[in-house]
Amino acid sequence: MALVMTSQLQVMQSLAKNNRDRTMADRSNGHSSPCQKTLSTAHILLTHTHCDHYLEQLLTQKNTDITHVPMLAIKPLAISKIKQKALYEADTWVFLSKHSLGENAELLKQHRSDQCIVAIGPGTAHLLSDHDITVDYVPEQDHSSDGILALPLFNTDSKRNVLVFSEASGPAYLKKGLKERGHAVIHAATYQHQKRDTTEIAQTISPIIDSITHITTHSQKGLDHLHTVSEKEYMPTLKQKTLLVTSQHMRASATEHGFQSVICSDNNGPTQIVNSISAHRKGAIYG
């Protein structure tokens, strides 16, 4: 009997040792138990026009691979001599994107006095601050023309002379909304969007398309051209990826374009974009 009990004890000890060895081997091979859910590496396709080093740094810290493929190119424009007079006359300057400053930073600083400065979002505000142009107002939530129109600044009895810095085609919706509120509006073109060749974009994306998990787009025109690339170059897989946009208007537009999974960042700042993607990834893992 003693011999049988000893044998059973040896078997149990051997099984326990094997289980420990198997667990250690699994860990050394990178395996985890069913209860140890971890985030796999994401691969994010950034489509904004210029490289944002801070955004890429934050994403890299989150176990993320990054590929930057711009949808649009930017051609900076100098503020015309005629519009330079408006720099003095306007009491409010409105900047509609990071590109709105263009190559006019020194000119604007020379004409800067007591104008009220409005930026469409935190990213634009940070860029202006980097050029020693202090921003007075940024919409809290909706970083779009609607967010600017909702600012208390433009909804009082005091009428303002507004100079809007933006893309050459002009902010028709914002101008209309400001004029309806009784404000005078002048537009200064500081850059021009140029759509990149769809074939060139497709050739860059095709080799990595299966590994892409998320796509970010930071402007309506960029979103529209991403849609064009998907349709013209027969890349429907792009619309199956999780798409991050930076306004509710863009979210509605992306859904209309046929993107199947759309998430919206609270603003267009790098930190919030990263937080939105991280929250989505965790939700996908943990439900």
Side-chain angles (χ1 to χ4, degrees):
M1 178 66 69
L3 180 60
V4 173
M5 292 182 63
T6 301
S7 297
Q8 289 176 338
L9 179 60
Q10 289 174 339
V11 170
M12 292 174 65
Q13 289 174 337
S14 178
L15 288 173
K17 181 179 183 300
N18 288 340
N19 287 336
R20 287 196 301 271
D21 291 344
R22 187 179 296 112
T23 300
M24 293 179 66
D26 285 346
R27 289 175 179 171
S28 66
N29 289 327
H31 300 301
S32 60
S33 70
C35 294
Q36 291 176 308
K37 294 184 178 180
T38 58
L39 292 176
S40 59
T41 300
H43 187 174
I44 299 179
L45 176 65
L46 304 176
T47 66
H48 52 278
T49 307
H50 287 161
C51 179
D52 187 328
H53 294 293
Y54 183 52
L55 173 60
E56 294 190 4
Q57 177 185 346
L58 292 177
L59 287 171
T60 301
Q61 293 171 357
K62 295 289 186 178
N63 192 32
T64 301
D65 293 330
I66 302 164
T67 301
H68 180 215
V69 182
M71 294 294 112
L72 307 171
I74 292 292
K75 178 183 178 182
L77 301 174
I79 297 175
S80 67
K81 293 290 185 180
I82 296 176
K83 294 295 176 69
Q84 287 182 25
K85 181 182 178 182
L87 295 174
Y88 289 111
E89 297 173 346
D91 54 37
T92 307
W93 291 355
V94 177
F95 295 85
L96 292 188
S97 82
K98 292 181 180 180
H99 309 297
S100 294
L101 190 60
E103 298 179 349
N104 299 286
E106 291 304 317
L107 175 67
L108 295 185
K109 284 192 284 187
Q110 291 171 14
H111 290 75
R112 180 88 163 91
S113 55
D114 59 350
Q115 295 93 344
C116 180
I117 307 297
V118 178
I120 196 168
T124 303
H126 291 154
L127 181 68
L128 291 169
S129 178
D130 288 343
H131 288 85
D132 299 321
I133 299 176
T134 303
V135 174
D136 301 297
Y137 293 93
V138 179
E140 289 187 9
Q141 294 294 332
D142 189 358
H143 300 105
S144 67
S145 292
D146 284 321
I148 291 175
L149 291 172
L151 289 172
L153 177 71
F154 297 123
N155 293 278
T156 67
D157 293 334
S158 177
K159 305 309 176 186
R160 310 192 70 87
N161 294 317
V162 184
L163 179 58
V164 180
F165 302 92
S166 75
E167 204 264 340
S169 60
Y173 180 78
L174 178 61
K175 288 177 67 176
K176 180 175 180 291
L178 289 171
K179 288 180 178 179
E180 288 175 347
R181 289 162 173 77
H183 306 294
V185 187
I186 296 177
H187 172 234
T190 53
Y191 67 97
Q192 185 175 21
H193 275 133
Q194 297 177 327
K195 297 177 182 178
R196 294 186 61 224
D197 180 71
T198 59
T199 301
E200 180 181 345
I201 293 173
Q203 288 174 345
T204 305
I205 294 176
S206 290
I208 59 170
I209 194 166
D210 290 337
S211 68
I212 293 171
T213 58
H214 296 72
I215 303 173
T216 70
T217 181
H218 300 218
S219 71
Q220 183 63 48
K221 288 191 175 182
L223 170 60
D224 291 341
H225 199 49
L226 177 64
H227 165 66
T228 299
V229 171
S230 177
E231 296 295 310
K232 187 176 180 180
E233 302 299 331
Y234 307 103
M235 303 180 76
T237 305
L238 287 175
K239 294 188 177 180
Q240 298 169 11
K241 309 296 183 180
T242 297
L243 178 71
L244 179 136
V245 298
T246 55
S247 74
Q248 291 299 330
H249 176 77
M250 289 176 64
R251 185 174 198 165
S253 179
T255 301
E256 290 177 2
H257 282 326
F259 288 90
Q260 298 175 17
S261 174
V262 184
I263 58 177
C264 185
S265 172
D266 288 340
N267 62 55
N268 64 353
T271 300
Q272 189 56 49
I273 288 173
V274 173
N275 289 344
S276 297
I277 292 174
S278 296
H280 176 264
R281 292 176 64 198
K282 289 178 181 177
I285 292 293
Y286 296 105

